Amino acid sequence: MVVSRDLLWILALVQSTVAVSVPEVWAKNVKRLSRRADSSNVTIPAAISIAPSQYWDGNDGPWSSFPLQLGGGTVQTQNVRVMPSTAGYNTWVINGTGGCPAYYVPDCNNIRGFTYDWSRSVTYQPLTPYGTEIESNLGLDTTGDAGYEDITLGWQGSGGPKVDHSVLFAIADSNYWIGIFGLNPLPTNFSTLNSPQPSFMELLYNSSSIPSRSYGYTAGNQYRFNKVYGSLTLGGYDTSRFKPTDTTFKFGGDISRDLLVDISAISTGDARGNKNLLPDGQISAYLDSTVAEIWLPGTACSAFENAFGLKYNSTVNRYLVSGDKHQTLTTNGAYVNFTLTNGSSTVDIGLPYGAFDLNVSFPIIDNGTTSYYFPLQRAANESQYTLGRAFFQEAYIIADYDRGNFTVAPCKWDQMALQNTNIHSILSPDWTSKARAASSSSSSSFGAGAIAGVVVGIIALIALIALLIWFLRRRSTKTRAAKAAELEAKNPSPPSPNSTDNEGRPFISAPIGGELGGGEIHELTAPHKPYAQELDSPHKIDPNKAGYSEMDGGRGEAGYFGSDGKYAVAHEVEGRSAIYEMPGSDVQELGTGREEGIGQPSRMSWEPDVKR
């Protein structure tokens, strides 16, 4: 293929324009982008999923616990198991010096989630005994030996985050059979210290270990899928554990009861029908996983008693359930539905009877014995309305302390989803601003001049491509016109050029010297149709070689191309000469043969190839 110099020039211009306008400008700005990204590098921490201990602990459950490591330095850390507390803002462990007196159950150290011996730690800094300052509204406040300790989340070797110099309480009170891990980021105020002491969550956030002061939690249970452990995520939540809901709640005005929800209805249903368990109407209750029971008004407790046949044991302050009653309730398959509202929308949390089918043991009841019990408590006043850990068996909470709101959603029981966590981070406003600033810095490093250069290059490229297409189309049009002219010159039009009746029709040669004796006249389909010629001229040609054709009258006289390729004059037949008819054989139809050179007669498709 022959390419014109104009086309080569256009191609060279396209290549040079694209090479200069786009890659060079882009490369210059990629370097500038890299430098700015290095100078304002922002690494946003991800949410942390804390693996459960895989133990079931507590004397009022059992409950899925979580592991912590205490201490460090040159001494091996001490392992303990604790319960997540939505109300607590520091860490409690069982004091090794008073948590397991001699009259307690055998293997007390393990049953209470392991005790902590501060004398074995080189990182512990003691303070003095202080009150824990939570659950006082329930009459469950306690005291403990306060101090500071290095705390690591998870078992040894798990790679969990570590916080140094975190507030720690070592308690012995049996009301809290195992320790707790405070999820609330509020600080601890010690009267002997001038400034509040940051919580574990605050220290974790300040060290950039989590992206926000938030968490997601559900308690787990033993009645679903042959036991499901609890789930705890710091700085985010696990979408595999709950069903999404559009209902969110604002924190309450009392910081000691911030996770406050309105309960608009409580109902139960079984084969015998539905019953209202909140006869006096809507109440506000505190979400508190520190305690096991659900604390409701007396009228609500009476409705539960009637619905389930419960009896309150004032000796142990629990609703104990006999073996026969337990069997009956389990068989009936009853459930309890809590409807929570934020004033504009609601969310339902349904608890099957299994969520209330729990056990108590020492020291709530006599040593060496256990009993079924129903986790319900009579509240003395509205400050005691509480949804405890039993409620969290079917509810997932997401609390965002940076924005002052939280979500309560029903748990999702998908056995396949439970096998794989799906952790999502919640960015605090500070991290959100840093991320936006870093993104803005990165995008702005690709300057206006560079953007203009790229745009100009793209426009130039499009224009040159359009020019190339125009050139090729123009060249193609000229080529087709030239070929058409060449064909017209080689193939003169048939007689009667002004007539449209002959267009597209085959040419039929006229009789030579009169009618052919009975012979048939055949159509010629070749593009070059030979015309009939008159005979008996002094200059005769062999019709078997030249074919029959009339001469173009363009020169004012009939003529023909002789066998030698020269133009000759055709003569009429002399009158004295006899006129002979053509032989009676049929004239064969021609094919669409190829173009012949000037001066060369066209051959019939059946004519033998004769060398001249």
Side-chain angles (χ1 to χ4, degrees), residues 557-589:
E557 57 182 346
Y560 67 93
F561 288 99
S563 61
D564 58 358
K566 298 179 179 180
Y567 189 84
V569 178
H571 298 272
E572 294 187 356
V573 180
E574 296 180 4
R576 65 178 180 272
S577 301
I579 298 174
Y580 297 93
E581 288 188 350
M582 295 282 295
S585 60
D586 296 339
V587 180
Q588 301 296 323
E589 184 173 335

PDB file of all heavy atoms in Angstrom, residues 557-589:
ATOM      1  N   GLU A 557     -18.142   8.472 -39.181  1.00  0.00           N
ATOM      2  CA  GLU A 557     -18.150   7.348 -40.103  1.00  0.00           C
ATOM      3  C   GLU A 557     -17.985   6.081 -39.302  1.00  0.00           C
ATOM      4  O   GLU A 557     -17.432   6.078 -38.232  1.00  0.00           O
ATOM      5  CB  GLU A 557     -17.042   7.470 -41.126  1.00  0.00           C
ATOM      6  CG  GLU A 557     -15.656   7.591 -40.507  1.00  0.00           C
ATOM      7  CD  GLU A 557     -14.570   7.756 -41.555  1.00  0.00           C
ATOM      8  OE1 GLU A 557     -14.854   7.509 -42.733  1.00  0.00           O
ATOM      9  OE2 GLU A 557     -13.463   8.106 -41.200  1.00  0.00           O
ATOM     10  N   ALA A 558     -18.528   5.035 -39.894  1.00  0.00           N
ATOM     11  CA  ALA A 558     -18.404   3.741 -39.202  1.00  0.00           C
ATOM     12  C   ALA A 558     -16.974   3.286 -39.269  1.00  0.00           C
ATOM     13  O   ALA A 558     -16.281   3.486 -40.246  1.00  0.00           O
ATOM     14  CB  ALA A 558     -19.345   2.715 -39.857  1.00  0.00           C
ATOM     15  N   GLY A 559     -16.515   2.638 -38.235  1.00  0.00           N
ATOM     16  CA  GLY A 559     -15.151   2.139 -38.222  1.00  0.00           C
ATOM     17  C   GLY A 559     -14.997   0.976 -37.311  1.00  0.00           C
ATOM     18  O   GLY A 559     -15.928   0.587 -36.625  1.00  0.00           O
ATOM     19  N   TYR A 560     -13.794   0.436 -37.298  1.00  0.00           N
ATOM     20  CA  TYR A 560     -13.550  -0.701 -36.418  1.00  0.00           C
ATOM     21  C   TYR A 560     -12.079  -0.740 -36.075  1.00  0.00           C
ATOM     22  O   TYR A 560     -11.264  -0.076 -36.704  1.00  0.00           O
ATOM     23  CB  TYR A 560     -13.983  -2.012 -37.098  1.00  0.00           C
ATOM     24  CG  TYR A 560     -13.141  -2.402 -38.302  1.00  0.00           C
ATOM     25  CD1 TYR A 560     -12.044  -3.248 -38.180  1.00  0.00           C
ATOM     26  CD2 TYR A 560     -13.450  -1.885 -39.576  1.00  0.00           C
ATOM     27  CE1 TYR A 560     -11.273  -3.586 -39.270  1.00  0.00           C
ATOM     28  CE2 TYR A 560     -12.658  -2.224 -40.658  1.00  0.00           C
ATOM     29  CZ  TYR A 560     -11.573  -3.084 -40.500  1.00  0.00           C
ATOM     30  OH  TYR A 560     -10.795  -3.425 -41.556  1.00  0.00           O
ATOM     31  N   PHE A 561     -11.770  -1.505 -35.091  1.00  0.00           N
ATOM     32  CA  PHE A 561     -10.377  -1.771 -34.752  1.00  0.00           C
ATOM     33  C   PHE A 561      -9.979  -3.067 -35.413  1.00  0.00           C
ATOM     34  O   PHE A 561     -10.566  -4.126 -35.144  1.00  0.00           O
ATOM     35  CB  PHE A 561     -10.194  -1.893 -33.227  1.00  0.00           C
ATOM     36  CG  PHE A 561     -10.325  -0.575 -32.527  1.00  0.00           C
ATOM     37  CD1 PHE A 561     -11.513  -0.222 -31.911  1.00  0.00           C
ATOM     38  CD2 PHE A 561      -9.266   0.313 -32.520  1.00  0.00           C
ATOM     39  CE1 PHE A 561     -11.640   0.982 -31.266  1.00  0.00           C
ATOM     40  CE2 PHE A 561      -9.404   1.533 -31.881  1.00  0.00           C
ATOM     41  CZ  PHE A 561     -10.594   1.884 -31.256  1.00  0.00           C
ATOM     42  N   GLY A 562      -8.996  -2.991 -36.246  1.00  0.00           N
ATOM     43  CA  GLY A 562      -8.544  -4.194 -36.918  1.00  0.00           C
ATOM     44  C   GLY A 562      -7.743  -5.088 -36.006  1.00  0.00           C
ATOM     45  O   GLY A 562      -7.450  -4.751 -34.880  1.00  0.00           O
ATOM     46  N   SER A 563      -7.358  -6.195 -36.591  1.00  0.00           N
ATOM     47  CA  SER A 563      -6.606  -7.176 -35.786  1.00  0.00           C
ATOM     48  C   SER A 563      -5.252  -6.667 -35.398  1.00  0.00           C
ATOM     49  O   SER A 563      -4.634  -7.159 -34.469  1.00  0.00           O
ATOM     50  CB  SER A 563      -6.488  -8.500 -36.582  1.00  0.00           C
ATOM     51  OG  SER A 563      -5.793  -8.269 -37.802  1.00  0.00           O
ATOM     52  N   ASP A 564      -4.746  -5.654 -36.153  1.00  0.00           N
ATOM     53  CA  ASP A 564      -3.450  -5.090 -35.807  1.00  0.00           C
ATOM     54  C   ASP A 564      -3.556  -3.965 -34.799  1.00  0.00           C
ATOM     55  O   ASP A 564      -2.593  -3.302 -34.487  1.00  0.00           O
ATOM     56  CB  ASP A 564      -2.745  -4.586 -37.065  1.00  0.00           C
ATOM     57  CG  ASP A 564      -3.564  -3.532 -37.800  1.00  0.00           C
ATOM     58  OD1 ASP A 564      -4.706  -3.249 -37.307  1.00  0.00           O
ATOM     59  OD2 ASP A 564      -3.086  -2.999 -38.791  1.00  0.00           O
ATOM     60  N   GLY A 565      -4.785  -3.702 -34.315  1.00  0.00           N
ATOM     61  CA  GLY A 565      -4.971  -2.689 -33.294  1.00  0.00           C
ATOM     62  C   GLY A 565      -5.134  -1.305 -33.836  1.00  0.00           C
ATOM     63  O   GLY A 565      -5.273  -0.358 -33.083  1.00  0.00           O
ATOM     64  N   LYS A 566      -5.120  -1.108 -35.172  1.00  0.00           N
ATOM     65  CA  LYS A 566      -5.247   0.223 -35.757  1.00  0.00           C
ATOM     66  C   LYS A 566      -6.676   0.469 -36.187  1.00  0.00           C
ATOM     67  O   LYS A 566      -7.407  -0.445 -36.545  1.00  0.00           O
ATOM     68  CB  LYS A 566      -4.325   0.366 -36.956  1.00  0.00           C
ATOM     69  CG  LYS A 566      -2.857   0.223 -36.594  1.00  0.00           C
ATOM     70  CD  LYS A 566      -1.981   0.352 -37.816  1.00  0.00           C
ATOM     71  CE  LYS A 566      -0.497   0.233 -37.486  1.00  0.00           C
ATOM     72  NZ  LYS A 566       0.365   0.349 -38.663  1.00  0.00           N
ATOM     73  N   TYR A 567      -7.038   1.752 -36.166  1.00  0.00           N
ATOM     74  CA  TYR A 567      -8.407   2.123 -36.561  1.00  0.00           C
ATOM     75  C   TYR A 567      -8.527   2.053 -38.081  1.00  0.00           C
ATOM     76  O   TYR A 567      -7.651   2.539 -38.801  1.00  0.00           O
ATOM     77  CB  TYR A 567      -8.739   3.519 -36.050  1.00  0.00           C
ATOM     78  CG  TYR A 567     -10.178   3.879 -36.222  1.00  0.00           C
ATOM     79  CD1 TYR A 567     -11.099   3.463 -35.242  1.00  0.00           C
ATOM     80  CD2 TYR A 567     -10.626   4.579 -37.320  1.00  0.00           C
ATOM     81  CE1 TYR A 567     -12.447   3.783 -35.366  1.00  0.00           C
ATOM     82  CE2 TYR A 567     -11.979   4.890 -37.445  1.00  0.00           C
ATOM     83  CZ  TYR A 567     -12.889   4.496 -36.462  1.00  0.00           C
ATOM     84  OH  TYR A 567     -14.216   4.819 -36.593  1.00  0.00           O
ATOM     85  N   ALA A 568      -9.570   1.423 -38.587  1.00  0.00           N
ATOM     86  CA  ALA A 568      -9.780   1.285 -40.042  1.00  0.00           C
ATOM     87  C   ALA A 568     -11.194   1.700 -40.394  1.00  0.00           C
ATOM     88  O   ALA A 568     -12.073   1.658 -39.535  1.00  0.00           O
ATOM     89  CB  ALA A 568      -9.526  -0.151 -40.488  1.00  0.00           C
ATOM     90  N   VAL A 569     -11.395   2.045 -41.615  1.00  0.00           N
ATOM     91  CA  VAL A 569     -12.721   2.462 -42.096  1.00  0.00           C
ATOM     92  C   VAL A 569     -13.481   1.248 -42.559  1.00  0.00           C
ATOM     93  O   VAL A 569     -12.958   0.418 -43.296  1.00  0.00           O
ATOM     94  CB  VAL A 569     -12.598   3.471 -43.236  1.00  0.00           C
ATOM     95  CG1 VAL A 569     -13.977   3.865 -43.759  1.00  0.00           C
ATOM     96  CG2 VAL A 569     -11.840   4.690 -42.739  1.00  0.00           C
ATOM     97  N   ALA A 570     -14.731   1.131 -42.140  1.00  0.00           N
ATOM     98  CA  ALA A 570     -15.565   0.015 -42.586  1.00  0.00           C
ATOM     99  C   ALA A 570     -16.260   0.399 -43.898  1.00  0.00           C
ATOM    100  O   ALA A 570     -16.775   1.509 -44.017  1.00  0.00           O
ATOM    101  CB  ALA A 570     -16.594  -0.329 -41.521  1.00  0.00           C
ATOM    102  N   HIS A 571     -16.248  -0.488 -44.863  1.00  0.00           N
ATOM    103  CA  HIS A 571     -16.847  -0.236 -46.173  1.00  0.00           C
ATOM    104  C   HIS A 571     -18.110  -1.011 -46.302  1.00  0.00           C
ATOM    105  O   HIS A 571     -18.244  -2.106 -45.754  1.00  0.00           O
ATOM    106  CB  HIS A 571     -15.876  -0.634 -47.294  1.00  0.00           C
ATOM    107  CG  HIS A 571     -14.603   0.184 -47.258  1.00  0.00           C
ATOM    108  ND1 HIS A 571     -14.457   1.389 -47.906  1.00  0.00           N
ATOM    109  CD2 HIS A 571     -13.416  -0.050 -46.633  1.00  0.00           C
ATOM    110  CE1 HIS A 571     -13.230   1.856 -47.702  1.00  0.00           C
ATOM    111  NE2 HIS A 571     -12.576   0.984 -46.928  1.00  0.00           N
ATOM    112  N   GLU A 572     -19.036  -0.439 -47.094  1.00  0.00           N
ATOM    113  CA  GLU A 572     -20.261  -1.146 -47.379  1.00  0.00           C
ATOM    114  C   GLU A 572     -20.000  -2.247 -48.394  1.00  0.00           C
ATOM    115  O   GLU A 572     -19.029  -2.246 -49.116  1.00  0.00           O
ATOM    116  CB  GLU A 572     -21.326  -0.197 -47.901  1.00  0.00           C
ATOM    117  CG  GLU A 572     -21.773   0.831 -46.864  1.00  0.00           C
ATOM    118  CD  GLU A 572     -22.929   1.627 -47.365  1.00  0.00           C
ATOM    119  OE1 GLU A 572     -23.318   1.428 -48.528  1.00  0.00           O
ATOM    120  OE2 GLU A 572     -23.446   2.461 -46.587  1.00  0.00           O
ATOM    121  N   VAL A 573     -20.909  -3.154 -48.433  1.00  0.00           N
ATOM    122  CA  VAL A 573     -20.778  -4.297 -49.361  1.00  0.00           C
ATOM    123  C   VAL A 573     -21.032  -3.826 -50.790  1.00  0.00           C
ATOM    124  O   VAL A 573     -21.943  -3.042 -51.049  1.00  0.00           O
ATOM    125  CB  VAL A 573     -21.801  -5.398 -48.985  1.00  0.00           C
ATOM    126  CG1 VAL A 573     -21.667  -6.567 -49.929  1.00  0.00           C
ATOM    127  CG2 VAL A 573     -21.566  -5.801 -47.552  1.00  0.00           C
ATOM    128  N   GLU A 574     -20.116  -4.273 -51.643  1.00  0.00           N
ATOM    129  CA  GLU A 574     -20.315  -3.918 -53.059  1.00  0.00           C
ATOM    130  C   GLU A 574     -21.553  -4.616 -53.570  1.00  0.00           C
ATOM    131  O   GLU A 574     -21.831  -5.773 -53.245  1.00  0.00           O
ATOM    132  CB  GLU A 574     -19.105  -4.351 -53.872  1.00  0.00           C
ATOM    133  CG  GLU A 574     -17.830  -3.603 -53.445  1.00  0.00           C
ATOM    134  CD  GLU A 574     -16.632  -4.061 -54.278  1.00  0.00           C
ATOM    135  OE1 GLU A 574     -16.827  -4.871 -55.195  1.00  0.00           O
ATOM    136  OE2 GLU A 574     -15.522  -3.592 -53.994  1.00  0.00           O
ATOM    137  N   GLY A 575     -22.271  -3.884 -54.458  1.00  0.00           N
ATOM    138  CA  GLY A 575     -23.546  -4.411 -54.957  1.00  0.00           C
ATOM    139  C   GLY A 575     -23.403  -5.644 -55.808  1.00  0.00           C
ATOM    140  O   GLY A 575     -24.326  -6.433 -55.942  1.00  0.00           O
ATOM    141  N   ARG A 576     -22.230  -5.813 -56.440  1.00  0.00           N
ATOM    142  CA  ARG A 576     -22.088  -6.957 -57.311  1.00  0.00           C
ATOM    143  C   ARG A 576     -21.739  -8.210 -56.550  1.00  0.00           C
ATOM    144  O   ARG A 576     -21.733  -9.297 -57.115  1.00  0.00           O
ATOM    145  CB  ARG A 576     -21.038  -6.674 -58.369  1.00  0.00           C
ATOM    146  CG  ARG A 576     -19.640  -6.489 -57.798  1.00  0.00           C
ATOM    147  CD  ARG A 576     -18.633  -6.245 -58.918  1.00  0.00           C
ATOM    148  NE  ARG A 576     -17.316  -6.065 -58.368  1.00  0.00           N
ATOM    149  CZ  ARG A 576     -16.821  -4.919 -57.980  1.00  0.00           C
ATOM    150  NH1 ARG A 576     -17.553  -3.830 -58.068  1.00  0.00           N
ATOM    151  NH2 ARG A 576     -15.586  -4.839 -57.537  1.00  0.00           N
ATOM    152  N   SER A 577     -21.409  -8.042 -55.350  1.00  0.00           N
ATOM    153  CA  SER A 577     -20.993  -9.221 -54.575  1.00  0.00           C
ATOM    154  C   SER A 577     -22.197  -9.873 -53.942  1.00  0.00           C
ATOM    155  O   SER A 577     -23.145  -9.214 -53.559  1.00  0.00           O
ATOM    156  CB  SER A 577     -19.989  -8.838 -53.469  1.00  0.00           C
ATOM    157  OG  SER A 577     -18.869  -8.246 -54.051  1.00  0.00           O
ATOM    158  N   ALA A 578     -22.075 -11.154 -53.851  1.00  0.00           N
ATOM    159  CA  ALA A 578     -23.190 -11.899 -53.221  1.00  0.00           C
ATOM    160  C   ALA A 578     -23.174 -11.709 -51.710  1.00  0.00           C
ATOM    161  O   ALA A 578     -22.130 -11.543 -51.113  1.00  0.00           O
ATOM    162  CB  ALA A 578     -23.085 -13.391 -53.574  1.00  0.00           C
ATOM    163  N   ILE A 579     -24.334 -11.770 -51.134  1.00  0.00           N
ATOM    164  CA  ILE A 579     -24.452 -11.649 -49.683  1.00  0.00           C
ATOM    165  C   ILE A 579     -24.718 -13.017 -49.107  1.00  0.00           C
ATOM    166  O   ILE A 579     -25.661 -13.695 -49.518  1.00  0.00           O
ATOM    167  CB  ILE A 579     -25.580 -10.697 -49.288  1.00  0.00           C
ATOM    168  CG1 ILE A 579     -25.297  -9.293 -49.822  1.00  0.00           C
ATOM    169  CG2 ILE A 579     -25.749 -10.660 -47.759  1.00  0.00           C
ATOM    170  CD1 ILE A 579     -26.427  -8.326 -49.599  1.00  0.00           C
ATOM    171  N   TYR A 580     -23.859 -13.408 -48.223  1.00  0.00           N
ATOM    172  CA  TYR A 580     -23.982 -14.741 -47.651  1.00  0.00           C
ATOM    173  C   TYR A 580     -24.517 -14.644 -46.222  1.00  0.00           C
ATOM    174  O   TYR A 580     -24.178 -13.764 -45.466  1.00  0.00           O
ATOM    175  CB  TYR A 580     -22.621 -15.445 -47.605  1.00  0.00           C
ATOM    176  CG  TYR A 580     -22.047 -15.663 -49.000  1.00  0.00           C
ATOM    177  CD1 TYR A 580     -21.176 -14.724 -49.556  1.00  0.00           C
ATOM    178  CD2 TYR A 580     -22.385 -16.811 -49.748  1.00  0.00           C
ATOM    179  CE1 TYR A 580     -20.649 -14.925 -50.825  1.00  0.00           C
ATOM    180  CE2 TYR A 580     -21.847 -16.997 -51.023  1.00  0.00           C
ATOM    181  CZ  TYR A 580     -20.992 -16.073 -51.550  1.00  0.00           C
ATOM    182  OH  TYR A 580     -20.470 -16.257 -52.789  1.00  0.00           O
ATOM    183  N   GLU A 581     -25.335 -15.606 -45.930  1.00  0.00           N
ATOM    184  CA  GLU A 581     -25.824 -15.661 -44.538  1.00  0.00           C
ATOM    185  C   GLU A 581     -24.795 -16.299 -43.632  1.00  0.00           C
ATOM    186  O   GLU A 581     -23.975 -17.101 -44.084  1.00  0.00           O
ATOM    187  CB  GLU A 581     -27.126 -16.464 -44.461  1.00  0.00           C
ATOM    188  CG  GLU A 581     -28.300 -15.736 -45.040  1.00  0.00           C
ATOM    189  CD  GLU A 581     -29.589 -16.469 -44.771  1.00  0.00           C
ATOM    190  OE1 GLU A 581     -29.494 -17.633 -44.292  1.00  0.00           O
ATOM    191  OE2 GLU A 581     -30.644 -15.891 -44.981  1.00  0.00           O
ATOM    192  N   MET A 582     -24.872 -15.949 -42.409  1.00  0.00           N
ATOM    193  CA  MET A 582     -23.970 -16.568 -41.414  1.00  0.00           C
ATOM    194  C   MET A 582     -24.324 -18.028 -41.245  1.00  0.00           C
ATOM    195  O   MET A 582     -25.466 -18.428 -41.445  1.00  0.00           O
ATOM    196  CB  MET A 582     -24.134 -15.857 -40.053  1.00  0.00           C
ATOM    197  CG  MET A 582     -23.700 -14.400 -40.065  1.00  0.00           C
ATOM    198  SD  MET A 582     -21.949 -14.219 -40.001  1.00  0.00           S
ATOM    199  CE  MET A 582     -21.645 -14.896 -38.400  1.00  0.00           C
ATOM    200  N   PRO A 583     -23.353 -18.786 -40.829  1.00  0.00           N
ATOM    201  CA  PRO A 583     -23.679 -20.200 -40.544  1.00  0.00           C
ATOM    202  C   PRO A 583     -24.770 -20.267 -39.483  1.00  0.00           C
ATOM    203  O   PRO A 583     -24.913 -19.393 -38.640  1.00  0.00           O
ATOM    204  CB  PRO A 583     -22.358 -20.754 -40.016  1.00  0.00           C
ATOM    205  CG  PRO A 583     -21.320 -19.848 -40.593  1.00  0.00           C
ATOM    206  CD  PRO A 583     -21.954 -18.485 -40.670  1.00  0.00           C
ATOM    207  N   GLY A 584     -25.538 -21.366 -39.547  1.00  0.00           N
ATOM    208  CA  GLY A 584     -26.705 -21.485 -38.657  1.00  0.00           C
ATOM    209  C   GLY A 584     -26.411 -21.855 -37.227  1.00  0.00           C
ATOM    210  O   GLY A 584     -27.314 -22.081 -36.460  1.00  0.00           O
ATOM    211  N   SER A 585     -25.148 -21.944 -36.869  1.00  0.00           N
ATOM    212  CA  SER A 585     -24.844 -22.295 -35.455  1.00  0.00           C
ATOM    213  C   SER A 585     -25.204 -21.154 -34.525  1.00  0.00           C
ATOM    214  O   SER A 585     -25.206 -20.000 -34.919  1.00  0.00           O
ATOM    215  CB  SER A 585     -23.361 -22.624 -35.299  1.00  0.00           C
ATOM    216  OG  SER A 585     -22.592 -21.513 -35.674  1.00  0.00           O
ATOM    217  N   ASP A 586     -25.504 -21.526 -33.298  1.00  0.00           N
ATOM    218  CA  ASP A 586     -25.908 -20.512 -32.319  1.00  0.00           C
ATOM    219  C   ASP A 586     -24.734 -19.649 -31.880  1.00  0.00           C
ATOM    220  O   ASP A 586     -23.603 -20.146 -31.765  1.00  0.00           O
ATOM    221  CB  ASP A 586     -26.510 -21.158 -31.066  1.00  0.00           C
ATOM    222  CG  ASP A 586     -27.790 -21.885 -31.417  1.00  0.00           C
ATOM    223  OD1 ASP A 586     -28.373 -21.552 -32.449  1.00  0.00           O
ATOM    224  OD2 ASP A 586     -28.165 -22.780 -30.603  1.00  0.00           O
ATOM    225  N   VAL A 587     -25.028 -18.393 -31.652  1.00  0.00           N
ATOM    226  CA  VAL A 587     -24.023 -17.494 -31.061  1.00  0.00           C
ATOM    227  C   VAL A 587     -24.081 -17.661 -29.549  1.00  0.00           C
ATOM    228  O   VAL A 587     -25.121 -17.457 -28.948  1.00  0.00           O
ATOM    229  CB  VAL A 587     -24.300 -16.033 -31.449  1.00  0.00           C
ATOM    230  CG1 VAL A 587     -23.249 -15.126 -30.820  1.00  0.00           C
ATOM    231  CG2 VAL A 587     -24.304 -15.889 -32.954  1.00  0.00           C
ATOM    232  N   GLN A 588     -22.968 -18.068 -28.942  1.00  0.00           N
ATOM    233  CA  GLN A 588     -22.984 -18.357 -27.497  1.00  0.00           C
ATOM    234  C   GLN A 588     -22.994 -17.088 -26.653  1.00  0.00           C
ATOM    235  O   GLN A 588     -22.466 -16.061 -27.060  1.00  0.00           O
ATOM    236  CB  GLN A 588     -21.747 -19.203 -27.133  1.00  0.00           C
ATOM    237  CG  GLN A 588     -21.660 -20.511 -27.877  1.00  0.00           C
ATOM    238  CD  GLN A 588     -22.824 -21.420 -27.501  1.00  0.00           C
ATOM    239  OE1 GLN A 588     -23.226 -21.430 -26.339  1.00  0.00           O
ATOM    240  NE2 GLN A 588     -23.354 -22.169 -28.448  1.00  0.00           N
ATOM    241  N   GLU A 589     -23.558 -17.192 -25.475  1.00  0.00           N
ATOM    242  CA  GLU A 589     -23.625 -16.056 -24.541  1.00  0.00           C
ATOM    243  C   GLU A 589     -22.287 -15.844 -23.870  1.00  0.00           C
ATOM    244  O   GLU A 589     -21.610 -16.812 -23.492  1.00  0.00           O
ATOM    245  CB  GLU A 589     -24.696 -16.338 -23.479  1.00  0.00           C
ATOM    246  CG  GLU A 589     -24.903 -15.193 -22.546  1.00  0.00           C
ATOM    247  CD  GLU A 589     -26.084 -15.475 -21.646  1.00  0.00           C
ATOM    248  OE1 GLU A 589     -26.954 -16.255 -22.022  1.00  0.00           O
ATOM    249  OE2 GLU A 589     -26.109 -14.887 -20.558  1.00  0.00           O
TER     250      GLU A 589
END
